Amino acid sequence: MRVWLRRNRIGACLASVALLAACSTAPDPQSTSPEPPPSAGPTTASAQGLSPVPVQVPPDMAQGPFDEPRQALVPQGWTMSVWARMPKPRFAAWAPDGVLLISVPSTGEVVALRPTDDGPTRSVLLKGLDQPHGMAFAGDTLYVAESDQIDVYDYIDGAAVNGRTVMAGLPDADSQDLRGSYHHALKSVVVGEDGAVYFSIGSRGNITADDRDADPPRATIMRIPPGGGPAEAFATGVRNGTGLAIAPDGSVWTAVNNRDNVANPETGEVDPEYVDEHPPESVARLTPGRELGWPYCNPDGGPANMPLIRDVQTNADGSRMDCESLPPIEQSLGAHAAPLGMSFTEGVLPEPYASGALIGVHGSWNREPPREPEVAFFAWRDGELGNQQTLVGGFQSADGSRWGRPVAAATGPDGAVYITDDYADAVYRLAPPPR
């Protein structure tokens, strides 16, 4: 494996203080599925106990879908506002100097949003990258996951300098052996408490078993040891572990997009009613060598401690993998929910959200009715995650139409939650009541 290779493609730091502009219609690099038209009214199916509030929109940000009133479902007393507009924001990371970094794979940029009393100002921190997605800080060191490599920069005085590559040659749509066919090219990165770097490599497709034998293996979470060295598979059978985060106890967690069009194990047929609810999306604690089963085993049941069962299409007689021997999956979201960004929050938000995991749930594209987009919360207690709760809902109406699709959520230094939405081209500020 090629590691610690340099590439002189450091993005420039461009000064700009303009507020973020209106929407873009550039295609989502992770999904090309058509979306239903937007609608204003929220549903409550996945948001019990939340209150509808108007989404506050500054006049200069009131382009569609905010050219008409929108409501969100949030905890009692909380507020939600459009904090910035930009084309297709994906992942978010707070820099040590209080600047919010946003990755924009569709433009190859990492954008810096600096909070001010008059709203955020914008500058381009890095440009010319290949679909930058995940970002992570270790002190003043910034890691950025491109589609084909993992980069590291020194973050000094608001600039990303001294760029170098810690892992090169990662698979993406330009890889010759994949011939342009790669559905999960976007990658995530986090840094462990010991300095080890973890990053995701998604599968090529839905049930492409040859991913497991590729070099580097796809459908994995990889680990670079502290101080550098060859990357090795840390967890396997992870179809698309886009959500990747470090818990308060230092453990590594992933939120996984599991497979589509799975056959009913009782009939062997692809039954739409079965497919709508199977398999659940996984939220799993990763340990060295952990196997999550894809594409031979699928989680079943839930919401917590899900056993893995044999996939009758890929593992008909059980000879490819002994699913019953695999440890159960710790937590779940509904089938086809499409979890994306994952982060942990500790001691910032009020109870009952003071400690837990935040996951941007993009919502389904292949289910009827569609699985709702939301920001999900999993309470963290005694080293375990509780069952899914909805922190923010209301993005989807009863007829299945949507006006937003959250990608990632991260708590800021001001005690609010900042949420990216690549469908509404917005960054939201979700604020709890003043203490």
Side-chain angles (χ1 to χ4, degrees):
M1 254 174 236
R2 292 175 287 173
V3 296
W4 296 102
L5 302 178
R6 286 184 72 88
R7 185 176 67 182
N8 293 323
R9 193 181 58 187
I10 304 172
C13 299
L14 303 179
S16 170
V17 292
L19 287 176
L20 297 185
C23 308
S24 167
T25 57
D28 184 339
Q30 193 81 336
S31 172
T32 57
S33 304
E35 288 294 334
S39 179
T43 62
T44 59
S46 66
Q48 297 299 321
L50 303 183
S51 301
V53 298
V55 177
Q56 302 167 15
V57 184
D60 61 343
M61 300 186 193
Q63 303 84 16
F66 305 107
D67 51 352
E68 59 181 277
R70 301 293 175 186
Q71 282 191 333
L73 294 166
V74 303
Q76 183 71 38
W78 293 45
T79 61
M80 185 162 133
S81 60
V82 175
W83 189 65
R85 302 299 304 272
M86 59 189 301
K88 300 201 174 300
R90 291 288 288 190
F91 277 21
W94 285 96
D97 59 356
V99 172
L100 182 61
L101 303 186
I102 304 289
S103 64
V104 189
S106 60
T107 64
E109 295 175 331
V110 172
V111 173
L113 302 180
R114 182 174 295 278
T116 74
D117 292 341
D118 298 321
T121 60
R122 173 185 174 179
S123 62
V124 177
L125 181 74
L126 297 165
K127 68 176 183 177
L129 307 182
D130 287 334
Q131 295 185 300
H133 198 232
M135 300 172 294
F137 275 95
D140 292 327
T141 302
L142 170 64
Y143 291 83
V144 178
E146 299 188 60
S147 64
D148 60 347
Q149 63 184 39
I150 308 298
D151 302 320
V152 61
Y153 301 86
D154 298 323
Y155 188 80
I156 301 174
D157 296 329
V161 299
N162 191 28
R164 57 264 190 207
T165 298
V166 297
M167 180 67 197
L170 300 181
D172 67 3
D174 292 332
S175 300
Q176 291 186 356
D177 59 327
L178 297 179
R179 301 192 231 5
S181 175
Y182 195 12
H183 294 169
H184 303 131
L186 300 184
K187 296 173 175 66
S188 302
V189 63
V190 293
V191 183
E193 291 183 344
D194 63 353
V197 178
Y198 301 86
F199 61 92
S200 63
I201 303 181
S203 69
R204 175 167 57 91
N206 187 34
I207 50 173
T208 46
D210 60 337
D211 286 332
R212 298 179 64 101
D213 300 321
D215 183 17
R218 300 182 287 270
T220 59
I221 304 298
M222 303 290 287
R223 178 181 185 270
I224 299 172
E232 296 182 350
F234 185 71
T236 53
V238 186
R239 180 177 176 270
N240 189 22
T242 304
L244 196 58
I246 306 297
D249 66 354
S251 57
V252 184
W253 288 75
T254 186
V256 186
N257 288 242
N258 283 322
R259 65 159 296 184
D260 302 317
N261 297 320
V262 65
N264 187 328
E266 295 184 0
T267 65
E269 301 295 327
V270 178
D271 175 2
E273 291 187 4
Y274 183 84
V275 168
D276 278 353
E277 303 300 332
H278 298 86
E281 310 281 44
S282 301
V283 181
R285 178 193 288 110
L286 301 182
T287 53
R290 176 139 193 209
E291 173 61 60
L292 296 190
W294 178 90
Y296 304 122
C297 308
N298 300 308
D300 190 59
N305 299 316
M306 297 184 296
L308 287 114
I309 63 172
R310 180 167 44 89
D311 189 310
V312 297
Q313 292 164 296
T314 61
N315 189 22
D317 60 2
S319 61
R320 303 303 300 266
M321 187 172 290
D322 180 3
C323 303
E324 293 183 359
S325 69
L326 299 179
I329 305 296
E330 284 77 4
Q331 268 298 344
S332 68
L333 299 104
H336 318 295
L340 295 179
M342 182 178 186
S343 67
F344 280 86
T345 182
E346 182 76 10
V348 176
L349 303 178
E351 294 290 351
Y353 307 106
S355 182
L358 300 169
I359 298 179
V361 177
H362 218 211
S364 63
W365 62 269
N366 58 346
R367 183 183 185 275
E368 189 58 43
R371 187 77 66 185
E372 294 182 32
E374 66 175 70
V375 176
F377 178 81
F378 295 78
W380 175 261
R381 291 187 181 88
D382 301 323
E384 302 289 341
L385 286 180
N387 294 344
Q388 175 190 4
Q389 305 171 55
T390 299
L391 180 64
V392 187
F395 298 95
Q396 180 170 302
S397 298
D399 63 2
S401 59
R402 298 164 171 165
W403 59 265
R405 300 184 76 184
V407 175
T411 49
D414 60 349
V417 181
Y418 290 78
I419 302 162
T420 58
D421 183 333
D422 65 350
Y423 187 63
D425 292 341
V427 180
Y428 308 113
R429 183 178 184 269
L430 175 71
R435 301 192 193 187

